[in-house]
Amino acid sequence: MDQPGDGASFNPASKLDGVSRRQTEQIESQSRPNAALIHETIRAEGEQELERRWWAIVLSGLAAGLSMGLSLIVQGEFHALISDEAIRRLVAPLGYTVGFLVVVLGRQQLFTENTLTPILPLLHNRDLATLWSVIKLWSLVLASNIAGTWAVGSVLAHTSIFEPRIVDAFVDLSRHTIEGTFTTTFVRAIFAGWLIALMAWLLPAVKGSRPHLVVVMTYVVALGQFAHIIAGSVECAFLVQSGRASLSQYASDFFVPTLLGNILGGTTLVALLNYGQVAPEIDDHRE
């Protein structure tokens, strides 16, 4: 099988007639990576993730769950310190991006990124062995992410390290996780899964602008109050452990619709659609 770099190239410059090797390299250096190259870059990352040891995945997922607590903490600080409602509505979501910046730039395992990365090897290989590897990866990452969020939620609920007005801001920001109907939360989760998986798709193409991309995409998630299974779990776990919500509300009002929506948004709207657009080109390079 040809891989990019084994003689096969996904760059259109390699197909031009009458262009020297030096000119081809110059064109390639100025060109944006095409969809097939982005796909293969992410697929290579997915293959690597599927081969990692289980304990490394668990530790990375736990670190990601803990890091996502920063999204509620920083957003809560902004929410409490800004009195003007319109300015607060626009500025506070910037705090939500902090947890994602730490997770993405630190290469920690986040479940919603995994609705894209390991799915591409599955679509490529189409075998039971890869399917089992994806299921195992998803289970380990999700469980360790959730464990990390509950640990953060416990600290926020049972310690007095934050001023009462900051804690009140945590409550205000977290209520949306259990207030919507199943359908409303499910649709909000589809948007969040789509945006985070789309962010993962775009990361290989932006290189030095990765922090900006993470901030923009996750800011939109927060601004739209879309439901994210890990960031939202910090908020909902905080409500449960502070006595403001029940465990059954966490499970039925938040966890189930959000998980299903995130998976649908990430795998269908990003993984399947983007695989479909590049499948013919990738098949040509296999031959």
Side-chain angles (χ1 to χ4, degrees):
M1 183 188 304
D2 287 330
Q3 298 289 339
D6 293 339
S9 174
F10 290 113
N11 198 295
S14 63
K15 302 176 183 179
L16 294 176
D17 294 328
V19 177
S20 68
R21 181 180 180 85
R22 181 179 179 183
Q23 289 174 321
T24 299
E25 292 174 352
Q26 290 175 334
I27 294 172
E28 290 181 351
S29 68
Q30 297 296 321
S31 300
R32 294 180 300 168
N34 66 8
L37 182 57
I38 292 173
H39 173 280
E40 291 296 83
T41 300
I42 298 173
R43 182 168 73 88
E45 293 179 358
E47 295 281 6
Q48 186 179 35
E49 296 297 341
L50 292 174
E51 293 172 359
R52 293 183 72 183
R53 297 183 183 273
W54 70 268
W55 51 266
I57 294 171
V58 168
L59 290 175
S60 182
L62 182 61
L66 294 171
S67 297
M68 289 306 299
L70 294 171
S71 288
L72 177 58
I73 292 170
V74 181
Q75 191 177 12
E77 295 277 0
F78 286 167
H79 187 87
L81 296 175
I82 299 173
S83 57
D84 185 273
E85 181 63 29
I87 297 176
R88 175 197 291 168
R89 186 77 175 83
L90 290 173
V91 174
L94 287 173
Y96 185 84
T97 70
V98 175
F100 287 93
L101 277 169
V102 174
V103 169
V104 174
L105 300 183
R107 300 303 296 268
Q108 297 169 354
Q109 286 278 2
L110 185 66
F111 179 76
T112 42
E113 281 191 279
N114 277 288
T115 59
L116 171 69
T117 309
I119 295 300
L120 297 189
L122 177 61
L123 293 172
H124 182 82
N125 298 326
R126 302 172 197 173
D127 56 30
L128 290 176
T130 307
L131 175 61
W132 170 245
S133 295
V134 171
I135 293 173
K136 183 171 68 172
L137 177 65
W138 275 13
S139 300
L140 290 172
V141 173
L142 181 60
S144 55
N145 279 174
I146 296 300
T149 64
W150 274 78
V152 174
S154 178
V155 171
L156 298 181
H158 300 302
T159 64
S160 56
I161 57 176
F162 295 101
E163 300 174 29
R165 62 173 177 168
I166 305 297
V167 176
D168 290 341
F170 294 160
V171 175
D172 288 342
L173 291 168
S174 301
R175 282 200 181 108
H176 75 94
T177 60
I178 57 172
E179 286 181 342
T181 64
F182 187 99
T183 301
T184 299
T185 302
F186 176 70
V187 174
R188 286 174 175 169
I190 291 175
F191 275 96
W194 171 48
L195 287 165
I196 299 302
L198 189 60
M199 178 190 74
W201 175 268
L202 294 173
L203 281 172
V206 296
K207 297 181 180 179
S209 299
R210 286 173 181 168
H212 303 94
L213 175 65
V214 175
V215 168
V216 169
M217 300 300 280
T218 56
Y219 175 83
V220 174
V221 174
L223 189 65
Q225 293 188 330
F226 300 136
H228 185 270
I229 188 63
I230 308 306
S233 182
V234 175
E235 300 167 357
C236 203
F238 162 74
L239 291 179
V240 172
Q241 295 183 86
S242 61
R244 296 176 173 89
S246 66
L247 193 58
S248 63
Q249 284 179 299
Y250 176 92
S252 61
D253 295 345
F254 164 72
F255 188 84
V256 173
T258 303
L259 178 63
L260 294 176
N262 282 175
I263 291 174
L264 181 61
T267 57
T268 303
L269 297 180
V270 180
L272 289 175
L273 290 179
N274 282 308
Y275 174 79
Q277 71 166 321
V278 303
E281 189 172 356
I282 291 173
D283 288 342
D284 289 343
H285 281 77
R286 289 186 193 178
E287 299 172 356

Short mmCIF file of all heavy atoms in Angstrom, two decimals, residues 195-251:
data_model
loop_
_atom_site.label_atom_id
_atom_site.label_comp_id
_atom_site.label_asym_id
_atom_site.label_seq_id
_atom_site.Cartn_x
_atom_site.Cartn_y
_atom_site.Cartn_z
N LEU A 195 -18.50 20.31 15.96
CA LEU A 195 -17.49 21.37 16.04
C LEU A 195 -16.15 20.85 16.56
O LEU A 195 -15.09 21.22 16.03
CB LEU A 195 -17.99 22.50 16.94
CG LEU A 195 -19.09 23.39 16.35
CD1 LEU A 195 -19.75 24.23 17.43
CD2 LEU A 195 -18.52 24.28 15.25
N ILE A 196 -16.16 19.98 17.58
CA ILE A 196 -14.90 19.49 18.13
C ILE A 196 -14.22 18.53 17.16
O ILE A 196 -13.00 18.56 16.98
CB ILE A 196 -15.13 18.81 19.50
CG1 ILE A 196 -15.72 19.82 20.49
CG2 ILE A 196 -13.82 18.24 20.03
CD1 ILE A 196 -14.86 21.06 20.70
N ALA A 197 -14.99 17.66 16.51
CA ALA A 197 -14.40 16.77 15.51
C ALA A 197 -13.90 17.57 14.31
O ALA A 197 -12.86 17.25 13.72
CB ALA A 197 -15.41 15.72 15.07
N LEU A 198 -14.62 18.63 13.93
CA LEU A 198 -14.18 19.49 12.84
C LEU A 198 -12.88 20.19 13.22
O LEU A 198 -11.97 20.35 12.40
CB LEU A 198 -15.27 20.52 12.52
CG LEU A 198 -15.08 21.38 11.28
CD1 LEU A 198 -14.99 20.51 10.03
CD2 LEU A 198 -16.24 22.37 11.13
N MET A 199 -12.76 20.60 14.48
CA MET A 199 -11.51 21.18 14.97
C MET A 199 -10.37 20.19 14.81
O MET A 199 -9.27 20.55 14.35
CB MET A 199 -11.67 21.59 16.43
CG MET A 199 -10.41 22.16 17.07
SD MET A 199 -10.59 22.33 18.88
CE MET A 199 -10.48 20.60 19.38
N ALA A 200 -10.61 18.93 15.19
CA ALA A 200 -9.58 17.90 15.06
C ALA A 200 -9.20 17.68 13.60
O ALA A 200 -8.02 17.42 13.28
CB ALA A 200 -10.06 16.59 15.68
N TRP A 201 -10.17 17.79 12.70
CA TRP A 201 -9.91 17.64 11.26
C TRP A 201 -9.04 18.78 10.73
O TRP A 201 -8.16 18.57 9.90
CB TRP A 201 -11.23 17.57 10.51
CG TRP A 201 -11.09 17.53 9.01
CD1 TRP A 201 -11.08 18.59 8.16
CD2 TRP A 201 -10.90 16.36 8.20
NE1 TRP A 201 -10.90 18.16 6.86
CE2 TRP A 201 -10.79 16.80 6.86
CE3 TRP A 201 -10.82 15.00 8.48
CZ2 TRP A 201 -10.61 15.91 5.80
CZ3 TRP A 201 -10.65 14.11 7.42
CH2 TRP A 201 -10.54 14.57 6.10
N LEU A 202 -9.27 19.98 11.24
CA LEU A 202 -8.56 21.15 10.73
C LEU A 202 -7.16 21.32 11.33
O LEU A 202 -6.32 21.99 10.73
CB LEU A 202 -9.38 22.42 11.02
CG LEU A 202 -10.72 22.54 10.30
CD1 LEU A 202 -11.49 23.75 10.81
CD2 LEU A 202 -10.52 22.63 8.79
N LEU A 203 -6.90 20.74 12.50
CA LEU A 203 -5.63 20.96 13.18
C LEU A 203 -4.41 20.65 12.33
O LEU A 203 -3.44 21.43 12.35
CB LEU A 203 -5.58 20.14 14.48
CG LEU A 203 -6.35 20.73 15.67
CD1 LEU A 203 -6.40 19.73 16.82
CD2 LEU A 203 -5.70 22.04 16.13
N PRO A 204 -4.36 19.55 11.56
CA PRO A 204 -3.16 19.28 10.75
C PRO A 204 -2.90 20.34 9.68
O PRO A 204 -1.76 20.48 9.21
CB PRO A 204 -3.46 17.92 10.10
CG PRO A 204 -4.47 17.30 10.98
CD PRO A 204 -5.31 18.42 11.47
N ALA A 205 -3.93 21.10 9.31
CA ALA A 205 -3.77 22.06 8.22
C ALA A 205 -3.29 23.43 8.68
O ALA A 205 -2.81 24.22 7.87
CB ALA A 205 -5.09 22.21 7.46
N VAL A 206 -3.41 23.73 9.98
CA VAL A 206 -3.15 25.10 10.41
C VAL A 206 -1.78 25.30 11.04
O VAL A 206 -1.33 26.43 11.22
CB VAL A 206 -4.24 25.57 11.40
CG1 VAL A 206 -5.59 25.62 10.72
CG2 VAL A 206 -4.30 24.67 12.63
N LYS A 207 -1.10 24.25 11.42
CA LYS A 207 0.27 24.30 11.95
C LYS A 207 0.41 25.32 13.07
O LYS A 207 -0.09 25.12 14.16
CB LYS A 207 1.25 24.58 10.80
CG LYS A 207 1.27 23.48 9.75
CD LYS A 207 2.26 23.76 8.64
CE LYS A 207 2.26 22.65 7.60
NZ LYS A 207 3.20 22.90 6.49
N GLY A 208 1.09 26.44 12.83
CA GLY A 208 1.38 27.41 13.89
C GLY A 208 0.17 28.13 14.44
O GLY A 208 0.25 28.79 15.47
N SER A 209 -0.98 28.00 13.79
CA SER A 209 -2.19 28.69 14.26
C SER A 209 -3.10 27.78 15.06
O SER A 209 -4.28 28.10 15.26
CB SER A 209 -2.97 29.25 13.05
OG SER A 209 -2.19 30.17 12.33
N ARG A 210 -2.60 26.66 15.53
CA ARG A 210 -3.45 25.70 16.25
C ARG A 210 -4.12 26.29 17.48
O ARG A 210 -5.31 26.06 17.70
CB ARG A 210 -2.63 24.46 16.60
CG ARG A 210 -2.37 23.58 15.38
CD ARG A 210 -1.42 22.45 15.66
NE ARG A 210 -1.19 21.67 14.44
CZ ARG A 210 -0.25 20.75 14.30
NH1 ARG A 210 0.56 20.50 15.32
NH2 ARG A 210 -0.12 20.09 13.16
N PRO A 211 -3.40 27.07 18.31
CA PRO A 211 -4.09 27.66 19.46
C PRO A 211 -5.26 28.54 19.06
O PRO A 211 -6.31 28.52 19.72
CB PRO A 211 -2.99 28.47 20.16
CG PRO A 211 -1.71 27.82 19.75
CD PRO A 211 -1.95 27.36 18.35
N HIS A 212 -5.11 29.30 17.98
CA HIS A 212 -6.19 30.16 17.52
C HIS A 212 -7.40 29.33 17.09
O HIS A 212 -8.55 29.69 17.37
CB HIS A 212 -5.72 31.05 16.37
CG HIS A 212 -4.53 31.89 16.70
ND1 HIS A 212 -3.24 31.51 16.42
CD2 HIS A 212 -4.42 33.10 17.29
CE1 HIS A 212 -2.39 32.44 16.82
NE2 HIS A 212 -3.09 33.41 17.36
N LEU A 213 -7.14 28.23 16.39
CA LEU A 213 -8.23 27.38 15.93
C LEU A 213 -8.98 26.79 17.12
O LEU A 213 -10.21 26.77 17.14
CB LEU A 213 -7.68 26.25 15.06
CG LEU A 213 -8.70 25.20 14.61
CD1 LEU A 213 -9.74 25.82 13.69
CD2 LEU A 213 -8.00 24.03 13.92
N VAL A 214 -8.24 26.31 18.12
CA VAL A 214 -8.87 25.72 19.30
C VAL A 214 -9.74 26.76 20.00
O VAL A 214 -10.89 26.47 20.39
CB VAL A 214 -7.81 25.16 20.28
CG1 VAL A 214 -8.47 24.68 21.57
CG2 VAL A 214 -7.03 24.03 19.63
N VAL A 215 -9.22 27.97 20.15
CA VAL A 215 -9.98 29.03 20.82
C VAL A 215 -11.25 29.35 20.05
O VAL A 215 -12.34 29.44 20.64
CB VAL A 215 -9.11 30.29 20.99
CG1 VAL A 215 -9.97 31.48 21.42
CG2 VAL A 215 -8.00 30.06 22.01
N VAL A 216 -11.16 29.52 18.75
CA VAL A 216 -12.32 29.90 17.95
C VAL A 216 -13.40 28.82 18.01
O VAL A 216 -14.59 29.10 18.26
CB VAL A 216 -11.91 30.16 16.49
CG1 VAL A 216 -13.15 30.29 15.59
CG2 VAL A 216 -11.08 31.43 16.39
N MET A 217 -13.02 27.57 17.77
CA MET A 217 -14.01 26.50 17.70
C MET A 217 -14.67 26.24 19.05
O MET A 217 -15.90 26.05 19.13
CB MET A 217 -13.36 25.22 17.16
CG MET A 217 -12.76 25.36 15.78
SD MET A 217 -13.97 25.81 14.52
CE MET A 217 -14.72 24.22 14.20
N THR A 218 -13.90 26.23 20.12
CA THR A 218 -14.48 25.95 21.44
C THR A 218 -15.23 27.17 21.98
O THR A 218 -16.17 27.01 22.76
CB THR A 218 -13.40 25.48 22.43
OG1 THR A 218 -12.36 26.46 22.52
CG2 THR A 218 -12.82 24.15 21.98
N TYR A 219 -14.84 28.36 21.57
CA TYR A 219 -15.60 29.56 21.93
C TYR A 219 -17.01 29.47 21.36
O TYR A 219 -17.99 29.81 22.04
CB TYR A 219 -14.89 30.81 21.40
CG TYR A 219 -15.66 32.10 21.62
CD1 TYR A 219 -15.59 32.77 22.84
CD2 TYR A 219 -16.45 32.65 20.62
CE1 TYR A 219 -16.28 33.96 23.06
CE2 TYR A 219 -17.16 33.82 20.82
CZ TYR A 219 -17.07 34.47 22.04
OH TYR A 219 -17.78 35.63 22.24
N VAL A 220 -17.13 28.97 20.13
CA VAL A 220 -18.45 28.82 19.51
C VAL A 220 -19.28 27.80 20.29
O VAL A 220 -20.49 27.98 20.48
CB VAL A 220 -18.30 28.40 18.04
CG1 VAL A 220 -19.67 28.10 17.42
CG2 VAL A 220 -17.61 29.50 17.24
N VAL A 221 -18.64 26.72 20.74
CA VAL A 221 -19.35 25.71 21.54
C VAL A 221 -19.93 26.36 22.81
O VAL A 221 -21.09 26.15 23.16
CB VAL A 221 -18.42 24.54 21.92
CG1 VAL A 221 -19.13 23.58 22.87
CG2 VAL A 221 -17.97 23.79 20.67
N ALA A 222 -19.10 27.15 23.49
CA ALA A 222 -19.56 27.79 24.73
C ALA A 222 -20.60 28.87 24.45
O ALA A 222 -21.61 28.97 25.17
CB ALA A 222 -18.36 28.41 25.46
N LEU A 223 -20.40 29.65 23.41
CA LEU A 223 -21.33 30.74 23.10
C LEU A 223 -22.71 30.19 22.76
O LEU A 223 -23.73 30.76 23.16
CB LEU A 223 -20.79 31.56 21.93
CG LEU A 223 -21.52 32.86 21.61
CD1 LEU A 223 -21.38 33.85 22.76
CD2 LEU A 223 -20.97 33.48 20.31
N GLY A 224 -22.74 29.07 22.05
CA GLY A 224 -24.02 28.46 21.69
C GLY A 224 -24.59 27.57 22.78
O GLY A 224 -25.67 27.00 22.60
N GLN A 225 -23.87 27.43 23.90
CA GLN A 225 -24.27 26.55 24.99
C GLN A 225 -24.55 25.14 24.48
O GLN A 225 -25.52 24.48 24.89
CB GLN A 225 -25.49 27.10 25.74
CG GLN A 225 -25.18 28.39 26.51
CD GLN A 225 -26.33 28.83 27.41
OE1 GLN A 225 -27.49 28.57 27.13
NE2 GLN A 225 -25.99 29.51 28.50
N PHE A 226 -23.69 24.68 23.56
CA PHE A 226 -23.81 23.33 23.05
C PHE A 226 -23.29 22.34 24.09
O PHE A 226 -22.44 22.68 24.91
CB PHE A 226 -23.05 23.19 21.73
CG PHE A 226 -23.55 24.12 20.65
CD1 PHE A 226 -22.66 24.82 19.84
CD2 PHE A 226 -24.91 24.29 20.43
CE1 PHE A 226 -23.11 25.68 18.85
CE2 PHE A 226 -25.38 25.15 19.44
CZ PHE A 226 -24.48 25.84 18.65
N ALA A 227 -23.82 21.13 24.06
CA ALA A 227 -23.56 20.15 25.11
C ALA A 227 -22.35 19.28 24.77
O ALA A 227 -22.38 18.52 23.81
CB ALA A 227 -24.79 19.27 25.32
N HIS A 228 -21.31 19.41 25.60
CA HIS A 228 -20.08 18.62 25.41
C HIS A 228 -19.97 17.62 26.56
O HIS A 228 -20.05 18.00 27.72
CB HIS A 228 -18.86 19.54 25.37
CG HIS A 228 -17.59 18.84 25.06
ND1 HIS A 228 -16.78 18.30 26.04
CD2 HIS A 228 -16.99 18.57 23.88
CE1 HIS A 228 -15.72 17.73 25.47
NE2 HIS A 228 -15.83 17.88 24.17
N ILE A 229 -19.76 16.36 26.24
CA ILE A 229 -19.84 15.31 27.24
C ILE A 229 -18.80 15.46 28.35
O ILE A 229 -19.09 15.14 29.51
CB ILE A 229 -19.71 13.91 26.56
CG1 ILE A 229 -19.98 12.78 27.55
CG2 ILE A 229 -18.34 13.74 25.91
CD1 ILE A 229 -21.36 12.77 28.11
N ILE A 230 -17.61 15.99 28.07
CA ILE A 230 -16.58 16.08 29.10
C ILE A 230 -16.62 17.43 29.81
O ILE A 230 -16.67 17.48 31.04
CB ILE A 230 -15.18 15.83 28.50
CG1 ILE A 230 -15.18 14.53 27.68
CG2 ILE A 230 -14.13 15.77 29.61
CD1 ILE A 230 -15.66 13.31 28.43
N ALA A 231 -16.65 18.53 29.08
CA ALA A 231 -16.77 19.84 29.72
C ALA A 231 -18.07 19.92 30.51
O ALA A 231 -18.10 20.43 31.64
CB ALA A 231 -16.71 20.95 28.67
N GLY A 232 -19.15 19.39 29.94
CA GLY A 232 -20.43 19.41 30.62
C GLY A 232 -20.45 18.50 31.84
O GLY A 232 -21.16 18.77 32.81
N SER A 233 -19.66 17.43 31.80
CA SER A 233 -19.61 16.52 32.94
C SER A 233 -19.00 17.20 34.17
O SER A 233 -19.40 16.92 35.30
CB SER A 233 -18.82 15.26 32.60
OG SER A 233 -18.81 14.35 33.68
N VAL A 234 -18.03 18.07 33.96
CA VAL A 234 -17.47 18.84 35.08
C VAL A 234 -18.59 19.64 35.74
O VAL A 234 -18.74 19.64 36.97
CB VAL A 234 -16.35 19.79 34.60
CG1 VAL A 234 -15.87 20.66 35.76
CG2 VAL A 234 -15.19 19.01 34.01
N GLU A 235 -19.39 20.32 34.91
CA GLU A 235 -20.46 21.17 35.42
C GLU A 235 -21.54 20.35 36.11
O GLU A 235 -21.97 20.68 37.23
CB GLU A 235 -21.05 21.97 34.26
CG GLU A 235 -20.04 22.87 33.56
CD GLU A 235 -20.52 23.42 32.23
OE1 GLU A 235 -21.64 23.07 31.80
OE2 GLU A 235 -19.78 24.21 31.62
N CYS A 236 -21.97 19.27 35.47
CA CYS A 236 -23.06 18.48 36.03
C CYS A 236 -22.61 17.71 37.28
O CYS A 236 -23.36 17.57 38.24
CB CYS A 236 -23.59 17.52 34.98
SG CYS A 236 -25.29 16.97 35.27
N ALA A 237 -21.37 17.21 37.27
CA ALA A 237 -20.84 16.52 38.44
C ALA A 237 -20.73 17.48 39.63
O ALA A 237 -20.98 17.09 40.78
CB ALA A 237 -19.47 15.92 38.12
N PHE A 238 -20.40 18.73 39.35
CA PHE A 238 -20.37 19.75 40.40
C PHE A 238 -21.76 19.94 41.00
O PHE A 238 -21.92 20.02 42.23
CB PHE A 238 -19.83 21.06 39.83
CG PHE A 238 -20.14 22.26 40.68
CD1 PHE A 238 -19.45 22.49 41.87
CD2 PHE A 238 -21.11 23.17 40.29
CE1 PHE A 238 -19.75 23.59 42.67
CE2 PHE A 238 -21.41 24.28 41.07
CZ PHE A 238 -20.72 24.49 42.26
N LEU A 239 -22.79 20.01 40.15
CA LEU A 239 -24.16 20.17 40.64
C LEU A 239 -24.57 18.99 41.51
O LEU A 239 -25.18 19.16 42.57
CB LEU A 239 -25.12 20.32 39.46
CG LEU A 239 -25.05 21.60 38.62
CD1 LEU A 239 -26.08 21.53 37.49
CD2 LEU A 239 -25.27 22.83 39.47
N VAL A 240 -24.25 17.78 41.06
CA VAL A 240 -24.63 16.58 41.81
C VAL A 240 -23.95 16.57 43.17
O VAL A 240 -24.58 16.33 44.21
CB VAL A 240 -24.28 15.31 41.02
CG1 VAL A 240 -24.50 14.06 41.88
CG2 VAL A 240 -25.12 15.22 39.75
N GLN A 241 -22.64 16.85 43.19
CA GLN A 241 -21.90 16.72 44.44
C GLN A 241 -22.12 17.90 45.39
O GLN A 241 -21.77 17.82 46.57
CB GLN A 241 -20.41 16.56 44.13
CG GLN A 241 -20.13 15.25 43.40
CD GLN A 241 -18.66 15.02 43.15
OE1 GLN A 241 -17.95 14.49 43.99
NE2 GLN A 241 -18.19 15.43 41.97
N SER A 242 -22.71 18.96 44.88
CA SER A 242 -23.07 20.08 45.76
C SER A 242 -24.53 20.03 46.16
O SER A 242 -25.06 20.97 46.78
CB SER A 242 -22.76 21.43 45.08
OG SER A 242 -23.51 21.57 43.89
N GLY A 243 -25.22 18.94 45.79
CA GLY A 243 -26.61 18.74 46.18
C GLY A 243 -27.63 19.50 45.37
O GLY A 243 -28.80 19.59 45.75
N ARG A 244 -27.23 20.04 44.21
CA ARG A 244 -28.15 20.83 43.39
C ARG A 244 -28.76 20.03 42.24
O ARG A 244 -29.57 20.54 41.48
CB ARG A 244 -27.42 22.06 42.84
CG ARG A 244 -26.97 23.03 43.93
CD ARG A 244 -26.17 24.17 43.34
NE ARG A 244 -25.87 25.20 44.34
CZ ARG A 244 -24.79 25.19 45.11
NH1 ARG A 244 -23.90 24.19 44.99
NH2 ARG A 244 -24.58 26.14 46.00
N ALA A 245 -28.36 18.79 42.10
CA ALA A 245 -28.92 17.89 41.09
C ALA A 245 -28.74 16.47 41.59
O ALA A 245 -27.94 16.20 42.48
CB ALA A 245 -28.22 18.08 39.74
N SER A 246 -29.51 15.55 41.02
CA SER A 246 -29.44 14.15 41.44
C SER A 246 -28.60 13.35 40.44
O SER A 246 -28.35 13.78 39.31
CB SER A 246 -30.83 13.55 41.52
OG SER A 246 -31.42 13.48 40.23
N LEU A 247 -28.19 12.17 40.88
CA LEU A 247 -27.41 11.29 40.00
C LEU A 247 -28.24 10.85 38.80
O LEU A 247 -27.72 10.69 37.69
CB LEU A 247 -26.91 10.08 40.78
CG LEU A 247 -25.84 9.21 40.11
CD1 LEU A 247 -24.61 10.03 39.76
CD2 LEU A 247 -25.47 8.04 41.01
N SER A 248 -29.53 10.65 39.01
CA SER A 248 -30.39 10.26 37.90
C SER A 248 -30.52 11.38 36.87
O SER A 248 -30.60 11.13 35.66
CB SER A 248 -31.78 9.86 38.41
OG SER A 248 -32.43 10.96 39.03
N GLN A 249 -30.53 12.63 37.33
CA GLN A 249 -30.52 13.77 36.39
C GLN A 249 -29.23 13.79 35.59
O GLN A 249 -29.25 14.08 34.39
CB GLN A 249 -30.70 15.08 37.15
CG GLN A 249 -32.12 15.35 37.63
CD GLN A 249 -32.21 16.66 38.39
OE1 GLN A 249 -31.57 16.85 39.42
NE2 GLN A 249 -33.01 17.59 37.87
N TYR A 250 -28.12 13.52 36.27
CA TYR A 250 -26.84 13.46 35.56
C TYR A 250 -26.90 12.42 34.44
O TYR A 250 -26.48 12.68 33.32
CB TYR A 250 -25.72 13.10 36.54
CG TYR A 250 -24.36 12.91 35.89
CD1 TYR A 250 -23.47 13.98 35.77
CD2 TYR A 250 -23.98 11.68 35.37
CE1 TYR A 250 -22.23 13.82 35.17
CE2 TYR A 250 -22.73 11.51 34.76
CZ TYR A 250 -21.87 12.57 34.67
OH TYR A 250 -20.63 12.41 34.05
N ALA A 251 -27.45 11.25 34.76
CA ALA A 251 -27.46 10.15 33.79
C ALA A 251 -28.46 10.39 32.67
O ALA A 251 -28.11 10.28 31.48
CB ALA A 251 -27.78 8.84 34.50
#
